[in-house]
Amino acid sequence: MTIAEPSWVSTIDADKLLENKKAAIYPKGLPVLLIKQGGRIHAISNKCAHMACPLAGGVLEDCIIRCPCHNWGFDIKTGEFLDAKEIKIQVYQTKLLEGKIYVKI
Ligand code: FES
């Protein structure tokens, strides 16, 4: 089995994602959460590293998202779990092109 190289995938319209808001998307069928903060668009896994709860239902405070299930906090820039940085959720690169948000996945 070969693993495909990451490629840019077109997702939602950039103007659909408002500041301090989240959007759950499924590029290549994977659960990804887009978050806009400080004018930047972040893309992280939408599966908590603890027991895979969707982070889309979590609370966002600055650069930290808290899982709705057991309150684990992750840095949305690095994916690091706050209490043990060796535990991470996947983060993905994003870019804007012709009004669309692209995720490298
Ligand atoms: S599943 Fe996220 S903190 Fe437990």
Side-chain angles (χ1 to χ4, degrees):
M1 192 176 116
T2 57
I3 296 174
E5 286 289 306
S7 57
W8 290 104
V9 177
S10 172
T11 68
I12 62 172
D13 291 342
D15 60 8
K16 294 270 188 330
L17 187 61
L18 303 177
E19 181 70 19
N20 289 319
K21 297 290 183 197
K22 313 184 230 60
I25 58 169
Y26 297 89
K28 295 186 179 173
L30 295 173
V32 172
L33 188 63
L34 296 175
I35 299 167
K36 186 170 182 181
Q37 196 172 68
R40 257 197 84 187
I41 296 168
H42 302 272
I44 62 173
S45 171
N46 193 13
K47 264 170 83 171
C48 181
H50 181 216
M51 293 176 71
C53 277
L55 293 171
V59 175
L60 192 60
E61 295 163 3
D62 298 323
C63 289
I64 307 302
I65 189 159
R66 294 241 166 232
C67 179
C69 291
H70 315 98
N71 211 36
W72 282 27
F74 298 91
D75 186 319
I76 63 171
K77 296 185 305 245
T78 63
E80 290 171 349
F81 173 43
L82 299 184
D83 295 344
K85 293 191 187 310
E86 64 275 17
I87 298 173
K88 287 184 183 188
I89 53 171
Q90 183 79 46
V91 293
Y92 303 97
Q93 283 180 266
T94 63
K95 71 177 180 183
L96 293 179
L97 190 64
E98 294 171 351
K100 291 270 187 196
I101 300 169
Y102 281 72
V103 176
K104 195 170 192 182
I105 197 157

